[in-house]
Amino acid sequence: MKNVLGYKCTLCGASLPYDESMTCPHCGEKGILDIVFDYGYIKKEFNRETLAKDRTNSMWRYSALMPLAPRDFSPFLRVGWTPLYPSNSLGEALGIKLFIKDDGINPTASLKDRASGVAVAKAIELGYDTIACSSTGNAASSCAGNAARMGLKTVIFVPQRAPEGKVAQLMIFGAKVVSVMGDYKATFDLSKAAIEKYGWYNRNAGINPILTEGKKTVALEIAEQLNWNVTDWVACSVGDGCTIGGVYNGFHDLYELGMIERIPRILGVQSTGCCPFVVAAEKNEPLKPMEENTLADSIAVGVPRNPVKALRAVSASNGKWIAVSDEDILDTMRVLGRTEGVFGEPAGVTATAGVRAAVKAGIIKPGESVTTISTGSGLKDVKNALRAAGKPTLCEPTLAALDKSGIL
């Protein structure tokens, strides 16, 4: 694979050959690997000019920066190239220049399609017929949907608390769904053991290094859609740490290729009900497990599996960590919907809630530019959407009753 030089361990720094390995042989499971790309080779045929001529309106336009063998990606689901909306009113109210990246309109309604599309392509490339993962919901449904499109079987492990909307997607896509009576850690551990026993392809983002390379395409799109003039900040909700790690990787790739002049500062946002990264950053201590006590189920990860890449994303970009309450998250669901027409699930709007909090705290300064990533559709979690929006007004079918209802 000419565009890839090899692996580098995020813990010990060892350089390793690029093969089917997923973690460092010296460091074990915690030795998550970075893929090292040959930027000199890539820039010969991948640059601003070639992209300007490319009519592939999906993430596959960036295949030169993926660890995949060249192939025709047109049979795959059309993942990516989601809209980047300049804010019409929320940014002005906050005193900033705001852009909203709506990844909730991906095929299975979340950013996780980016990782799953790459995982499915790699599984096919390596000759697997079954792909498996553990997930609080979005990674699972994206895996099942992308795999179904390409004829792969899926086995999915979800915590028993996973929202019905996400489980329904899994069942519709034909996945074998195991609802685990336990938290995310128990779910992950069972999936890991089963994958090892039955020899399935491992889509777990906290283990498999290529998943980050799919998620980074959201950063590549943001830069291109901003005509390569990236915003001062990019805000991202954080659970396992894989998405924010991918966001940094994407901007880093573009910087190394000379396609952007700087890497934006990255704001990592968690819920106060489950914020191990924020606590570790505030106390300057190693990451410690936390309870998963938040309605933002997609980021309710008490034992993050990709801490090094997540922490690096914020530190290397001179960014910040911040936590917001579940009440702030619900309020942001309402605000984002009513001011910008973007319907995000709780975890999806957590980044925007973090931007609101960061402006209030003086972390983001007046007049600065910010891109916030909405990672999943509100239809993923209708229960909490109704909780945020309130109930409709009951009215008899007469104009007199409508007048008396007080809704107008």
Side-chain angles (χ1 to χ4, degrees):
M1 199 169 294
K2 294 181 180 179
N3 63 334
V4 175
L5 294 175
Y7 284 131
K8 185 175 183 179
C9 177
T10 57
L11 284 187
C12 70
S15 296
L16 304 164
Y18 181 71
D19 54 24
E20 288 189 54
S21 301
M22 292 192 178
T23 56
C24 176
H26 311 298
C27 302
E29 186 178 307
K30 293 184 178 180
I32 304 297
L33 301 175
D34 267 329
I35 294 173
V36 181
F37 288 92
D38 187 341
Y39 295 118
Y41 173 81
I42 292 170
K43 68 172 57 175
K44 293 176 183 176
E45 297 184 358
F46 179 85
N47 49 56
R48 292 187 188 183
E49 289 71 29
T50 59
L51 282 172
K53 298 174 184 177
D54 195 332
R55 295 297 177 263
T56 307
N57 292 326
S58 73
M59 73 171 187
W60 302 116
R61 66 194 283 108
Y62 307 115
S63 59
L65 279 169
M66 296 179 185
L68 299 172
R71 64 171 298 151
D72 176 15
F73 291 101
S74 62
F76 288 71
L77 288 179
R78 191 204 61 78
V79 176
W81 207 241
T82 57
L84 180 69
Y85 297 117
S87 167
N88 282 340
S89 58
L90 181 56
E92 183 178 356
L94 294 172
I96 60 175
K97 186 176 182 180
L98 180 66
F99 295 85
I100 303 152
K101 181 68 168 169
D102 186 7
D103 249 39
I105 67 168
N106 273 309
T108 73
S110 85
L111 182 148
K112 302 293 178 69
D113 280 326
R114 298 177 183 275
S116 291
V118 173
V120 166
K122 179 58 74 173
I124 293 171
E125 183 182 307
L126 297 175
Y128 286 85
D129 64 2
T130 302
I131 184 169
C133 73
S134 62
S135 168
T136 55
N138 284 336
S141 55
S142 70
C143 180
N146 282 271
R149 171 69 182 169
M150 298 306 295
L152 293 183
K153 294 178 285 187
T154 48
V155 182
I156 306 295
F157 299 80
V158 297
Q160 196 173 18
R161 69 164 191 268
E164 288 184 353
K166 297 178 181 181
V167 175
Q169 277 189 305
L170 295 172
M171 305 303 292
I172 286 291
F173 292 140
K176 293 182 179 178
V177 182
V178 182
S179 183
V180 180
M181 293 182 287
D183 59 11
Y184 179 71
K185 180 181 184 302
T187 305
F188 181 93
D189 289 344
L190 180 59
S191 74
K192 179 176 178 290
I195 288 167
E196 290 176 355
K197 178 176 180 179
Y198 299 108
W200 303 319
Y201 186 73
N202 190 343
R203 187 249 176 258
N204 282 321
I207 292 290
N208 190 335
I210 75 162
L211 276 296
T212 301
E213 307 307 318
K215 291 184 175 186
K216 78 181 181 184
T217 61
V218 72
L220 306 180
E221 285 178 21
I222 288 169
E224 188 175 4
Q225 289 168 327
L226 289 170
N227 197 29
W228 311 109
N229 298 308
V230 295
T231 48
D232 298 315
W233 291 84
V234 173
C236 183
S237 56
V238 182
D240 230 356
C242 305
T243 298
I244 195 171
V247 168
Y248 173 78
N249 279 13
F251 289 122
H252 177 264
D253 283 348
L254 294 176
Y255 181 77
E256 291 295 326
L257 289 167
M259 295 171 71
I260 58 175
E261 295 182 356
R262 59 180 174 78
I263 296 172
R265 301 179 71 181
I266 296 176
L267 182 72
V269 191
Q270 296 197 284
S271 166
T272 53
C274 188
C275 54
F277 284 109
V278 176
V279 171
E282 287 178 349
K283 296 184 178 180
N284 195 26
E285 294 178 350
L287 224 62
K288 296 179 180 178
M290 284 191 70
E291 290 187 14
E292 298 167 1
N293 187 25
T294 173
L295 55 81
D297 66 280
S298 295
I299 55 170
V301 182
V303 185
R305 298 286 171 175
N306 213 331
V308 176
K309 290 184 183 181
L311 292 168
R312 178 181 63 192
V314 173
S315 62
S317 69
N318 193 31
K320 292 288 184 180
W321 290 99
I322 197 167
V324 292
S325 69
D326 281 2
E327 290 73 19
D328 289 338
I329 292 170
L330 288 173
D331 183 59
T332 301
M333 289 180 73
R334 288 188 294 271
V335 169
L336 195 57
R338 294 173 186 181
T339 62
E340 304 293 348
V342 174
F343 184 21
E345 67 170 316
V349 307
T350 296
T352 305
V355 170
R356 297 172 73 194
V359 168
K360 187 176 182 180
I363 295 170
I364 296 175
K365 308 299 182 185
E368 288 192 308
S369 57
V370 183
T371 299
T372 182
I373 304 172
S374 184
T375 53
S377 168
L379 291 173
K380 292 278 194 172
D381 191 348
V382 175
K383 179 181 177 182
N384 277 311
L386 290 171
R387 192 173 157 192
K391 296 180 180 180
T393 299
L394 188 63
C395 179
E396 293 180 359
T398 67
L399 284 174
L402 180 61
D403 289 340
K404 291 179 180 179
S405 70
I407 191 173
L408 302 179

